[in-house]
Amino acid sequence: MTMSVGWYLRRLSRMGPQEVAGRVGDTARRRRWRSAPPDCPSVTGARFTAVLPAGAISAVPADAAKRLIAEADRLMDGHAEFFGVVRDDLADPDWWRDPKTGRRAPSGYAFDVPYRSEDAVGDIKQIWEPSRHQYLTQLAAAYAITGNERYAERVDEHLRSWWSANPPLRGVHWISGIELGIRLLSWVWIRRLLDGWPGAADLFEGNPVARNQIWHHQRWLAAFPSRGSSANNHVIAEAAGQFAAACAFDWFPSSTRWRADALRSLDRHLRGNTYGSGLNRELATEYHGLVLELGLAALAEADAAAVPVPASVRLVLLRMTDALAAVVDNRLRPPRQGDADDGHGLIVDGAGTDRWASLLATGDAVFGRLDWWPEVTVTDVRTPLLAALVKPTELSVTRPASRPAHFADAGMTILRGPGEIWCRCDGGPHGFLSIAAHAHADALSVEVRHDGVDVLADPGTYCYHGQPEWRQYFRSTLGHNTLQLDGGDQSVSGGPFLWTRHAESRVLVADASGEVARWSGEHDGYQGSVHRRRVELTAASQELRLVDEVSGPRRTVNLAFHLGPAITADLVGNRAQLTWTRDGEDRSAVLDLPAQLSWQAHRGETEPPLGWYSAGFGRKEPATTLIGTGSTDGTESFTTVLGFRGQGGT
């Protein structure tokens, strides 16, 4: 995917004067940097002191260690999976090759590489992901737990290989700041986890190649921060990586300045990226997780290095953790809202470790759990390691006395019912900043689960680059459980990470108490019409009722309900019998659909895409989507009833 002149004009229109000036300066700096990069300043007596406290490794639970070691052994055999692509070449990786397309990215000056073009580069996510070196943090953690030097030796081989293949400013791995920031954070933890291995110092502080790479990564991040309309999760990763490296690898004349600047940026942007309620402003749940992981990792580095941090940093991370505890379902799954690309801040666990349980466990260890938090029984490696570094601190803050159900600033409401019914109602802003890069056109959508199973599902994300028709589908209005008018989206897309017009939504009612929990909202995304939706969850009948109304002139209507991949649907007329299995038990529900519309089931269609579910980035599978078509003249309502009682759902 290459960007047209029109895209550049649309993108420019979303920037303010200060951002434009900053980007002009960035362009001039890139031109100056085209000449030979400067040498890293000479360093004498470099030492690594940001080690784990005694007892940290022994605090790792045995089952978590077992999962990690099994994962490390798979990696040692060369096996890994990134975004649905299974690889067997990780024993000796080609750092520039995309295994999905077979293409190798071109060499040359980093800022000349057309990384958005799959024809020229391949799938850039497939190339970038291994070079975050998070699989190497897993191998380093396996060494720390077992003392087996073969893990450390593999890390040594791969880092030296990467540094040799990717000199400063050459090739695809020097293009994106988020990649550099996460890579620095990985290197800090690799060095920490390899401490005690005889070759650790020779690999890092005693290695001029390593020092040169670390210095150039930090020089790059100091020069090219994400700006203005792009200052979303990327700038958090840049600041966290820069700060971690400047704390742990404080060997350079600029280390003190880099550390101070990165901490100011981290503090500013953590606050800017987070609502007062604690939810991430991108309204994309996986980025809530990414930012929280990055923030906790940065806090650990600060405390390990005895660098004071503003109280606001801890307060934001505390609010984010409480918010996560509030919105998860009974199986600790958070909402599937907005974009998701499986990005993590720090990985030291094996496959099968629950990301969200791990974050809540870390929140408990660092901040203390509240009585209303859900119980976390899953163990992990990361929690005891982070908790060993973070210093206990008294925070002057009032935390929620009971589990919040409505987050007014984010427009998110969680309705809960008996039989583990969980329903998310979306009446919030379209997205964050002027481009709303990771937003979906999902105003007034609902997401319904029963005992953690997606019944009315958010289909997910699937891809970013290279497949524009799939990118468009998964973030479209028709790709969500809401109402579409005249075949268009509520918000207008100007590119894969750009929205040029944002639907304005507002919540009218949010009352999750009592026998009948009620929510209603409206949005103005369809010019000339207003879409309103009411949702009622009745505890006694285990029934969810949705009522859609459209004011304005006659319009054509598509009402979509996307079922989770575990759900089988038998549609007869306007009634769908839903069945699924949970923990070996057959369960069912009935979905009564508006009779005014003509209903049809779609599954796994490609021209155009319809009837798909993406469990993770790069993965998709067929799932049933029910579409009702018709029209409205602004005088009628469309009522949908999802009933669980007496259908095996208790």
Side-chain angles (χ1 to χ4, degrees):
M1 182 184 301
T2 55
M3 300 295 105
S4 66
V5 173
W7 179 86
Y8 283 104
L9 292 175
R10 292 191 295 272
R11 185 65 182 85
L12 182 63
S13 72
R14 310 306 293 177
M15 302 179 193
Q18 186 174 0
E19 180 179 356
V20 171
R23 289 178 181 271
V24 169
D26 289 345
T27 299
R29 190 173 297 110
R30 291 186 184 112
R31 289 175 178 169
R32 291 198 304 272
W33 282 26
R34 189 179 287 275
S35 59
D39 293 330
C40 168
S42 61
V43 171
T44 58
R47 297 174 57 243
F48 183 84
T49 59
V51 298
L52 285 168
I57 295 297
S58 61
V60 173
D63 58 336
K66 183 178 179 180
R67 288 194 304 272
L68 169 64
I69 294 166
E71 181 72 14
D73 288 342
R74 284 192 291 271
L75 291 167
M76 290 294 291
D77 290 337
H79 301 301
E81 180 178 334
F82 299 109
F83 310 134
V85 175
V86 177
R87 299 182 60 165
D88 59 6
D89 62 340
L90 258 288
D92 184 19
D94 180 340
W95 303 108
W96 289 17
R97 182 179 180 275
D98 164 29
K100 190 171 77 173
T101 65
R103 296 188 180 97
R104 292 192 85 249
S107 60
Y109 185 54
F111 297 116
D112 290 341
V113 176
Y115 70 95
R116 293 188 179 96
S117 172
E118 188 166 297
D119 290 338
V121 174
D123 185 334
I124 190 61
K125 292 281 287 179
Q126 288 290 341
I127 298 173
W128 277 343
E129 191 67 16
S131 288
R132 289 185 172 188
H133 291 165
Q134 293 175 323
Y135 78 96
L136 295 181
T137 60
Q138 293 172 304
L139 291 176
Y143 164 76
I145 289 171
T146 66
N148 190 326
E149 293 192 1
R150 71 188 186 104
Y151 299 122
E153 290 165 356
R154 177 62 58 81
V155 173
D156 182 293
E157 292 170 8
H158 281 206
L159 283 180
R160 292 181 188 275
S161 167
W162 194 93
W163 290 332
S164 175
N166 296 277
L169 300 179
R170 310 305 294 178
V172 293
H173 298 301
W174 292 88
I175 296 172
S176 174
I178 188 174
E179 304 304 317
L180 276 73
I182 290 177
R183 193 154 53 238
L184 277 177
L185 186 59
S186 294
W187 292 351
V188 168
W189 273 90
I190 289 168
R191 176 61 185 89
R192 174 174 290 130
L193 292 165
L194 291 184
D195 198 64
W197 177 55
D202 287 340
L203 177 61
F204 279 94
E205 56 266 33
N207 182 359
V209 175
R211 296 197 305 266
N212 187 56
Q213 285 275 350
I214 293 167
W215 184 80
H216 274 285
H217 271 64
Q218 294 189 82
R219 174 178 179 259
W220 194 109
L221 290 172
F224 301 113
S226 293
R227 301 180 184 278
S229 56
S230 294
N232 52 13
N233 64 86
H234 283 233
V235 78
I236 302 292
E238 294 159 8
Q242 176 82 299
F243 179 71
C247 287
F249 303 141
D250 58 343
W251 309 325
F252 309 108
S254 298
S255 292
T256 300
R257 173 172 57 83
W258 285 339
R259 183 170 58 241
D261 290 348
L263 182 56
R264 280 193 295 271
S265 177
L266 186 68
D267 178 32
R268 173 190 170 194
H269 289 292
L270 275 175
R271 288 183 283 111
N273 275 250
T274 309
Y275 285 115
S277 65
L279 289 179
N280 183 265
R281 285 182 182 268
E282 293 200 72
L283 298 176
T285 308
E286 281 211 5
Y287 288 111
H288 182 106
L290 173 64
V291 169
L292 182 53
E293 288 171 353
L294 291 166
L296 289 169
L299 180 61
E301 296 306 327
D303 286 356
V307 174
V309 300
S312 51
V313 170
R314 296 180 196 268
L315 289 174
V316 168
L317 297 175
L318 169 61
R319 289 201 304 269
M320 291 184 71
T321 308
D322 280 342
L324 177 62
V327 301
V328 295
D329 64 21
N330 67 303
R331 301 282 182 141
L332 303 186
R333 292 183 63 214
R336 282 167 54 89
Q337 183 181 24
D339 271 349
D341 72 348
D342 297 356
H344 290 254
L346 173 66
I347 302 178
V348 290
D349 277 282
T353 302
D354 187 297
R355 175 187 197 171
W356 308 104
S358 171
L359 273 171
L360 291 176
T362 304
D364 183 3
V366 172
F367 302 118
R369 72 185 307 275
L370 296 171
D371 291 341
W372 55 261
W373 273 33
E375 292 292 333
V376 176
T377 58
V378 176
T379 62
D380 68 322
V381 175
R382 187 176 59 189
T383 289
L385 301 187
L386 286 175
L389 296 175
V390 177
K391 302 296 188 290
T393 303
E394 288 293 327
L395 296 175
S396 179
V397 60
T398 300
R399 298 171 70 183
S402 59
R403 191 175 200 170
H406 178 56
F407 298 81
D409 46 12
M412 181 188 293
T413 306
I414 306 295
L415 307 181
R416 300 176 189 269
E420 307 300 351
I421 299 171
W422 176 98
C423 174
R424 172 180 65 87
C425 303
D426 179 8
H430 176 61
F432 182 46
L433 303 173
S434 61
I435 64 173
H438 291 298
H440 289 187
D442 57 357
L444 307 194
S445 64
V446 297
E447 186 184 0
V448 181
R449 299 177 192 155
H450 188 279
D451 196 14
V453 174
D454 292 313
V455 179
L456 301 183
D458 184 299
T461 299
Y462 177 54
C463 66
Y464 281 168
H465 300 285
Q467 298 172 281
E469 71 280 7
W470 290 99
R471 174 66 170 151
Q472 176 58 28
Y473 168 69
F474 275 99
R475 64 180 195 149
S476 69
T477 297
L478 193 64
H480 295 84
N481 298 316
T482 188
L483 184 144
Q484 181 195 58
L485 293 182
D486 293 344
D489 286 338
Q490 308 151 337
S491 297
V492 177
S493 172
F497 299 98
L498 171 63
W499 296 90
T500 55
R501 182 170 61 78
H502 303 180
E504 296 287 340
S505 303
R506 64 176 181 142
V507 175
L508 304 174
V509 175
D511 182 3
S513 62
E515 281 297 302
V516 180
R518 293 183 171 86
W519 176 91
S520 68
E522 65 180 21
H523 77 83
D524 65 355
Y526 300 118
Q527 295 179 334
S529 298
V530 173
H531 174 206
R532 298 184 184 89
R533 169 170 277 182
R534 303 196 309 273
V535 180
E536 295 181 352
L537 177 58
T538 303
S541 61
Q542 296 189 41
E543 180 180 278
L544 187 77
R545 179 179 296 265
L546 293 81
V547 180
D548 290 291
E549 299 172 339
V550 178
S551 65
R554 178 172 291 276
R555 314 284 290 262
T556 61
V557 169
N558 286 315
L559 182 58
F561 291 107
H562 299 263
L563 308 181
I567 307 299
T568 298
D570 182 12
L571 176 65
V572 178
N574 67 312
R575 168 169 282 203
Q577 182 76 33
L578 312 181
T579 56
W580 66 97
T581 301
R582 179 59 151 167
D583 297 333
E585 177 186 353
D586 292 336
R587 305 190 182 187
S588 64
V590 173
L591 186 61
D592 285 314
L593 302 158
Q596 309 100 304
L597 303 177
S598 175
W599 289 91
Q600 186 173 354
H602 303 263
R603 186 177 179 86
E605 299 173 10
T606 58
E607 295 182 357
L610 189 59
W612 296 90
Y613 179 93
S614 174
F617 197 83
R619 292 173 284 154
K620 68 180 187 300
E621 60 186 299
T624 300
T625 295
L626 305 176
I627 302 288
T629 59
S631 63
T632 176
D633 60 7
T635 63
E636 58 188 334
S637 60
F638 304 98
T639 301
T640 304
V641 180
L642 175 61
F644 293 98
R645 187 178 183 184
Q647 304 297 323
T650 58

